[in-house]
Amino acid sequence: APDIAVANVQAHLAQLGTIASSNGGTRRSGTAGYTASVAYIKGKLQAAGYTVAEQTCTSCTYRANNLIADWPGGPSDQITMFGAHLDSVSAGPGINDNGSGSATLLENALVLAQQHPTMSRHVRFAWWAGEEQGLQGSAFYANGLTSTQRSQIKAYYNFDMVGSINGGYFINHITSAAAVPMKAYWDSLGLQPEENTEGAGRSDDYSFERVGIPTSGYAAGASARKTSAQAAKWGGTANSAYDPCYHQACDTTSNISATVLNRAADGVAATIWQTSVSGTTTPPP
Ligand code: PHE
Ligand code: ZN
Ligand code: ZN
Ligand code: ZN
């Protein structure tokens, strides 16, 4: 799998920060800052050759669009999905929560297009509206799938807060088959990842879990505090929050660990390749 350049992920974060600054300091679902965030990502994806669709979430508290991007290639009945919520809270620009997951997926999508490998599975990326109001955009999408469509999605991988400045290395459903490639990559770096207990049922993977689709994903932690055992193995500050600016105005581009972000971005690439590119050595889950 390719090495994702964290500088490119950070450049997308800077753009999302500018979008927030130009729109009252927020990218909350239903605001101009959210709409501009969708336009930024959509433009990059279309230029790279993606088939991009906007889906209006009519059941969301604030009317806003999910963004769905399909990379043309691979069997259409064997799909691997990667998703992140693109909305922030109203209090701030949401650069770690969740510009980080959104930018990580955008850069991975662009690198997949540049490399255009032969695909063993179809890859679909999604950026969700209305997560902060209760996983609303992803629920609208997942609940709208027919049973045939549901069965075609072999796994859904979620990325919510993957650049926390005092972060850790957490994996959703770490012992599941879906998590195998995600865990294998972080294991290869010696990171000793842990189960994402803080985030269980609290992000968009839960919308897919509820309709029976296997899920996993990375997270670096939110308002919970890093233990001394975690600081010993991962570095950072014990007894401090993984993200001290969670849901605050200070969740800016200064609120990001480039090291943590880089390891998440590279693990997404490893997982795309392991699950969905022909000729990889590990069978997909
Ligand atoms: N889903 C939460 C949010 O967007 C973030 C979160 C992730 C919280 C992981 C806890 C654990 O605010
Ligand atoms: Zn949040
Ligand atoms: Zn979030
Ligand atoms: Zn990684």
Side-chain angles (χ1 to χ4, degrees):
D3 184 351
I4 302 299
V6 72
N8 293 348
V9 182
Q10 290 172 305
H12 301 313
L13 288 178
Q15 290 300 310
L16 293 173
T18 297
I19 286 168
S21 294
S22 309
N23 290 283
T26 183
R27 300 183 303 100
R28 196 207 74 193
S29 209
T31 68
Y34 181 80
T35 305
S37 300
V38 170
Y40 173 71
I41 290 177
K42 184 178 187 178
K44 297 278 187 194
L45 293 168
Q46 286 180 323
Y50 278 80
T51 304
V52 186
E54 293 187 48
Q55 177 193 47
T56 300
C57 179
T58 57
S59 58
C60 286
T61 301
Y62 306 109
R63 179 173 288 249
N65 291 352
N66 294 324
L67 184 65
I68 313 290
D70 284 85
W71 177 243
S76 58
D77 60 349
Q78 300 271 322
I79 302 170
T80 314
M81 273 192 81
F82 297 84
H85 75 84
L86 183 55
D87 62 314
S88 74
V89 293
S90 54
I95 297 304
N96 189 38
D97 184 15
N98 187 29
S100 63
S102 296
T104 292
L105 291 191
L106 174 57
E107 187 58 22
N108 266 278
L110 298 180
V111 168
L112 179 63
Q114 281 163 5
Q115 302 243 334
H116 55 81
T118 303
M119 304 303 290
S120 58
R121 275 202 190 155
H122 184 80
V123 170
R124 177 175 298 156
F125 296 95
W127 289 264
W128 307 117
E131 191 272 353
E132 298 290 5
Q133 287 74 47
L135 321 182
Q136 292 178 343
S138 59
F140 182 79
Y141 178 88
N143 294 341
L145 296 169
T146 65
S147 57
T148 301
Q149 290 171 327
R150 267 198 323 260
S151 66
Q152 291 170 344
I153 300 172
K154 301 308 176 186
Y156 171 81
Y157 294 98
N158 195 65
F159 304 93
D160 190 355
M161 307 181 72
V162 294
S164 308
I165 196 156
N166 188 39
Y169 299 95
F170 301 105
I171 300 180
N172 301 343
H173 301 149
I174 192 168
T175 60
S176 69
V180 165
M182 307 223 81
K183 182 173 184 298
Y185 181 73
W186 277 0
D187 283 348
S188 79
L189 302 181
L191 293 175
Q192 301 178 248
E194 298 181 7
E195 177 63 35
N196 182 18
T197 53
E198 185 191 22
R202 289 181 59 182
S203 191
D204 298 298
D205 47 319
Y206 191 56
S207 297
F208 287 79
E209 190 176 335
R210 282 191 301 176
V211 300
I213 295 170
T215 64
S216 186
Y218 284 149
S223 57
R225 284 191 264 208
K226 185 174 274 190
T227 66
S228 32
Q230 290 170 339
K233 70 177 180 180
W234 293 331
T237 307
N239 306 312
S240 292
Y242 303 115
D243 181 353
C245 288
Y246 177 62
H247 284 183
Q248 297 175 49
C250 59
D251 185 11
T252 66
T253 53
S254 302
N255 186 46
I256 290 289
S257 163
T259 298
V260 172
L261 184 66
N262 182 47
R263 289 167 170 170
D266 291 343
V268 172
T271 300
I272 292 171
W273 257 252
Q274 285 293 328
T275 57
S276 306
V277 168
S278 298
T280 49
T281 49
T282 305

